[in-house]
Amino acid sequence: MSLSQESQQPLVSVIIPTYNRPEYLKQAIASAIKQTYQNIEIIVSDNCSPENPQALVESFGDSRIRFWRHQQNVGMIANQQHGFKMAQGKYVASLHDDDIWNEDFLAKLVPPLEANSELILAFCDQYIIDADSIINHAGTEENTRGYKRDKLAKGIHQPFYKIGLVDKSIPTAASCVIRNNIIDWDSMPSEVGGMWDLYLTYLCCISGYGAYYYPERLTRYRAHEQTDTMLSGSRDMQAKIRKAKSEMFCYQVFMEDARLQQFKSYFQQKWLEANTTLGIGLLRSEQIAAARPYFWQALNQQRFDVRTVAALTLSFTPRFFADKLIGVSK
């Protein structure tokens, strides 16, 4: 690509928040540098990793990279937001430190945004890879179908409330390019936690702008043991509690937004499920008294839910028997 061609391209800010994953970070940065779309800045925001990755970042010798290291751990959402706030580009794209972009990711998603100023974002499908960067083909197909991207038409979607907040088709944190000047990055409250990408999708949805879908797998999302999704399963109760609290906050906001009233029943159901999940997390953390109100709240607003009733019953079961039952429950 010639210098004249590059200068005609709008600047894209690639945001890479990182914490303590140097080998994966190296792959993520390399995939950003190798983009065929070259007019980019790469912002690496380190959340005070035990091992400072500055030397690794500088080893690339690329002047487009900007490195920032927090002096203390500020939390995931604050680190992510800091990267967005540093962005100078017309467009921003989030690249997690354990994910990888195909070389043509930006080259295919920026042009639709340039061609239509009424679009706020462009997104694509993604591959699922394992800890060793090997594509999980079954997992990839399941992911595409699960988020209904297999049924999603190429092109403009406006409004896109349903595909963004109900189907969750838009991988905002991993496979999306966003018009930068429309989003107020300070408007994202800390309570969104690990659900920051869903909340960002919400901000994009209510902007009044449209979204563009490019139906190719242009990124590689890594599923491994240390992702928040994995941790918030049955292994890490504190991660489960954090995730449930974030979900409750987001769905409460969505329920109260008059623009989203047609989806209110869906958001309420998700909010109730999060109440039960939070209660189970507290119960398994031996905070029994704190768990029960969430079960009662969930039951008071829905006719009958086996999962909630079972969890509430466990909270009244003698400890010895409860531990055995909890050990095999979700």
Side-chain angles (χ1 to χ4, degrees):
M1 182 177 294
S2 69
L3 290 175
S4 61
Q5 285 177 307
E6 183 176 323
S7 65
Q8 292 170 8
Q9 294 180 325
L11 181 67
V12 176
S13 298
V14 179
I15 314 300
I16 308 180
T18 187
Y19 178 75
N20 204 33
R21 291 196 280 226
E23 286 307 311
Y24 287 159
L25 174 62
K26 187 175 182 180
Q27 295 177 49
I29 294 174
S31 77
I33 288 174
K34 292 176 182 176
Q35 289 297 298
T36 56
Y37 186 104
Q38 288 285 295
N39 193 20
I40 63 174
E41 62 171 356
I42 302 169
I43 298 170
V44 179
S45 183
D46 175 59
N47 199 12
C48 196
S49 297
E51 179 183 341
N52 189 336
Q54 184 170 359
L56 183 155
V57 173
E58 292 177 348
S59 70
F60 283 94
D62 195 310
S63 61
R64 298 173 300 174
I65 300 177
R66 300 166 61 196
F67 176 74
W68 175 273
R69 177 174 167 82
H70 292 283
Q71 294 307 302
Q72 60 185 20
N73 192 302
V74 297
M76 177 179 61
I77 177 63
N79 188 39
Q80 181 81 45
Q81 276 185 291
H82 184 267
F84 283 131
K85 291 177 185 178
M86 287 180 65
Q88 299 174 342
K90 182 177 181 180
Y91 303 107
V92 294
S94 169
L95 171 58
H96 281 177
D97 63 352
D98 54 348
D99 293 339
I100 301 171
W101 285 348
N102 290 9
E103 293 182 4
D104 56 352
F105 169 67
L106 292 176
K108 288 184 174 176
L109 291 192
V110 173
L113 294 169
E114 279 291 278
N116 189 338
S117 61
E118 295 301 309
L119 297 177
I120 189 172
L121 63 85
F123 67 103
C124 63
D125 200 1
Q126 56 190 181
Y127 289 104
I128 303 299
I129 59 174
D130 64 15
D132 299 316
S133 303
I134 298 171
I135 293 175
N136 177 343
H137 292 286
T140 294
E141 292 297 333
E142 182 181 352
N143 181 269
T144 297
R145 291 194 303 270
Y147 293 108
K148 300 186 178 179
R149 289 189 288 269
D150 59 324
K151 306 292 186 183
L152 200 56
K154 178 180 181 178
I156 298 172
H157 296 264
Q158 188 175 12
F160 57 100
Y161 298 127
K162 184 176 184 296
I163 67 171
L165 302 177
V166 178
D167 299 337
K168 300 180 179 66
S169 303
I170 305 172
T172 316
S175 307
C176 186
V177 179
I178 302 171
R179 197 178 298 274
N180 190 14
N181 64 351
I182 299 172
I183 299 296
D184 175 8
W185 299 108
D186 287 316
S187 68
M188 196 178 299
S190 60
E191 290 89 343
V192 302
M195 303 296 289
W196 70 265
D197 52 341
L198 179 63
Y199 198 87
L200 176 54
T201 301
Y202 164 70
L203 294 178
C204 291
C205 284
I206 64 175
S207 70
Y209 287 72
Y212 187 95
Y213 178 52
Y214 197 98
E216 285 187 27
R217 291 170 180 146
L218 303 176
T219 66
R220 302 182 181 218
Y221 175 84
R222 193 185 304 272
H224 59 94
E225 294 297 314
Q226 295 305 309
T227 60
D228 287 336
T229 302
M230 293 290 189
L231 290 174
S232 61
S234 60
R235 285 186 284 273
D236 187 329
M237 283 306 106
Q238 292 310 307
K240 191 184 193 78
I241 289 169
R242 288 195 303 270
K243 184 172 185 288
K245 286 181 176 179
S246 297
E247 288 180 332
M248 286 175 62
F249 178 84
C250 289
Y251 288 121
Q252 184 73 48
V253 171
F254 301 168
M255 278 192 293
E256 295 173 355
D257 192 323
R259 290 164 293 197
L260 303 175
Q261 286 306 292
Q262 69 183 108
F263 307 113
K264 185 174 181 178
S265 61
Y266 169 80
F267 296 139
Q268 183 174 30
Q269 183 59 41
K270 298 298 289 185
W271 180 79
L272 291 170
E273 290 173 7
N275 270 270
T276 298
T277 299
L278 177 55
I280 291 172
L282 292 169
L283 185 62
R284 295 187 67 173
S285 299
E286 301 182 12
Q287 301 177 60
I288 299 172
R292 285 176 186 152
Y294 293 103
F295 299 141
W296 286 121
Q297 183 161 248
L299 287 173
N300 284 338
Q301 298 190 44
Q302 57 188 348
R303 291 180 181 177
F304 182 81
D305 180 77
V306 174
R307 179 169 173 256
T308 307
V309 171
L312 179 61
T313 302
L314 280 174
S315 75
F316 290 99
T317 303
R319 174 73 182 275
F320 173 78
F321 296 107
D323 284 349
K324 289 183 174 298
L325 292 169
I326 289 173
V328 296
S329 65
K330 291 183 180 180

